[in-house]
Amino acid sequence: MSGMVTETRPPGRDEWNTCVRIGALVPLTRPGWQEAGRHLLAGMELAAGEVNDAGGIGGRPLELAVRDTAADPERAAAAVDELARLGVAALAGEYHSVVARTAATRADALGLPFLCASAVLDALTEQPTPWVARLAPAQSHGWRVYADFLLAAGHRRIVVAAEPSVYWASGARILRDHLAPRGGTVDEVDMRESTPATVCDTLVDRHATALLLLVGHPEPAVSIVRSVRRDRRLAGILIGAPAGQPEFAQWAASLGEDGAGVPFLRYLPERLGPLGARVGEALRERLGQAPSFVAFEGYDTVAVLAEVLRSHGTDRPRTPESWASVSVAGTRGRIRFSRVPDIGVWQWAWAPVQVVDRDPVRPDRFRVLRAVGASASRGA
């Protein structure tokens, strides 16, 4: 798929040149996580439509120029270059951390503001930058919450099934560094050299009580889950997926009951406030299914950028000055940015974090197992 433009409100001929454009980076085709991309874009489109219903940006219509990254860093870099030439006021979105890192690095080099919606990799840029901000919690924050959940549930012998990736390697390191001082061990199975059967044997050999999937979906994640569920030696094993694969309907469709009881991270409060509840209903109608936390991230990203552009103008050089003054009622809480140690971008510290699974009794329903952050999105 080549790049495409989504008109959030079709402009007339005279209006076309007066639109304020935001470049939207989303994975819409394989090997990107298409379902996540669809939810992210739905949230961004909903917010953009509401901005235009309220008068746009200083009376000018807001438009999303959508580019499909397909989880390809080189494609994302090319999209950033193209969108910069087109004169977008800012960039928004992206789900995959490795892709977002490339986009952020390129945006920084070009002096193009970028508000990252979903990617969590701590090192989103190699050096501190004034041009990039992020809504999603840093991986080190969220995955430590997940590690604390494992410890509280009595799991100290952990095996991770991992594929080669900066993101997966970073996650494994965070878990190992957090668990080791507390008596936990993390053994890694390299899925380039292993099979689901090998994973099962490793769990038995290491006397592990938990298996974490640091792999892609649907494969090899689906095959690993099925193998573990059917291995009588592993009846009591916990399967976890901290990156959030079970959040999406495709997981449930692929695994059915086998996909229940798999804890994962999501970034929602225990209860949504009035804004979050209203947006959630609108997203449900737009998507034809319950919105994931990624859809809320998409909405909040465009809502924040719209406020920045209203308050500080659409000239790119003025945007870096605005991150510190942002205070926006988002769907999941009031959004403010600050400088966080060891994070090189402006960071919302922090979005609410939950450890959640699908209820084995009703796999279409989620259970909150651990929550960090406000119990409701106050002020929203």
Side-chain angles (χ1 to χ4, degrees):
M1 177 187 293
S2 61
M4 60 184 180
V5 174
T6 296
E7 297 177 20
T8 54
R9 188 187 73 181
R13 185 180 301 274
D14 293 336
E15 252 184 341
W16 180 265
N17 293 326
T18 67
C19 290
V20 176
R21 295 178 184 168
I22 293 174
L25 304 176
V26 286
L28 297 173
T29 55
R30 300 282 301 165
W33 198 338
Q34 293 168 286
E35 192 172 8
R38 186 168 70 91
H39 281 235
L40 182 60
L41 182 57
M44 290 195 288
E45 289 178 334
L46 177 63
E50 291 185 0
V51 168
N52 286 335
D53 289 343
I57 308 296
R60 299 165 64 189
L62 177 64
E63 183 175 291
L64 300 181
V66 182
R67 295 298 182 270
D68 172 22
T69 64
D72 183 342
E74 292 184 5
R75 187 164 175 168
V80 173
D81 288 343
E82 178 199 1
L83 291 165
R85 290 193 301 270
L86 290 174
V88 298
L91 296 175
E94 192 45 45
Y95 177 79
H96 296 284
S97 281
V98 175
V99 178
R101 185 175 64 167
T102 297
T105 299
R106 191 68 190 134
D108 177 50
L110 295 171
L112 179 57
F114 175 31
L115 179 51
C116 182
S118 298
V120 300
L121 196 66
D122 281 40
L124 200 57
T125 56
E126 292 298 328
Q127 302 294 332
T129 172
W131 294 99
V132 181
R134 174 168 57 189
L135 288 180
Q139 189 178 21
S140 57
H141 176 70
W143 286 49
R144 285 171 188 154
V145 172
Y146 195 92
D148 286 337
F149 156 75
L150 292 173
L151 290 169
H155 298 289
R156 282 173 170 74
R157 291 186 179 136
I158 316 297
V159 168
V160 298
E163 291 182 310
S165 159
V166 171
Y167 173 64
W168 297 128
S170 173
R173 183 175 61 254
I174 291 164
L175 292 169
R176 189 176 290 110
D177 290 348
H178 193 73
L179 291 169
R182 296 161 178 82
T185 61
V186 177
D187 293 306
E188 188 168 332
V189 178
D190 186 341
M191 293 311 298
R192 292 173 299 181
E193 304 168 352
S194 304
T195 66
T198 306
V199 173
C200 292
D201 291 340
T202 301
L203 290 167
V204 174
D205 292 343
R206 303 294 169 82
H207 303 286
T209 63
L211 166 68
L212 303 186
L213 303 173
L214 309 190
V215 295
H217 179 264
E219 291 299 337
V222 169
S223 294
I224 295 172
V225 172
R226 285 177 175 158
S227 293
V228 172
R229 294 293 197 219
R230 285 156 178 70
D231 193 319
R232 294 182 180 179
R233 300 172 299 172
L234 303 173
I237 202 80
L238 173 78
I239 303 175
Q245 297 95 320
E247 168 82 1
F248 296 97
Q250 186 183 2
W251 173 274
S254 299
L255 284 163
E257 293 181 357
D258 284 346
V262 178
F264 63 93
L265 286 167
R266 72 174 181 182
Y267 308 121
L268 289 174
E270 290 185 78
R271 291 182 291 109
L272 291 168
L275 173 61
R278 178 184 66 75
V279 169
E281 287 303 312
L283 287 168
R284 181 185 293 271
E285 182 175 348
R286 181 178 288 260
L287 289 163
Q289 59 185 218
S292 69
F293 69 87
V294 178
F296 289 95
E297 289 176 327
Y299 181 96
D300 286 342
T301 301
V302 170
V304 168
L305 279 178
E307 181 58 30
V308 167
L309 296 173
R310 287 193 197 102
S311 301
H312 296 268
T314 58
D315 293 335
R316 293 177 190 168
R318 298 177 62 183
T319 303
E321 304 170 2
S322 67
W323 299 125
S325 62
V326 166
S327 180
V328 174
T331 59
R332 299 161 298 143
R334 184 154 292 274
I335 298 169
R336 299 182 178 91
F337 296 107
S338 60
R339 287 297 192 180
V340 176
D342 301 321
I343 304 295
V345 302
W346 286 95
Q347 176 72 54
W348 179 21
W350 303 97
V353 177
Q354 298 175 343
V355 179
V356 180
D357 71 0
R358 289 181 176 271
D359 190 336
V361 177
R362 281 187 52 188
D364 62 330
R365 182 174 60 189
F366 294 107
R367 303 183 301 182
V368 177
L369 308 175
R370 188 178 185 89
V372 175
S375 59
S377 48
R378 297 182 180 90

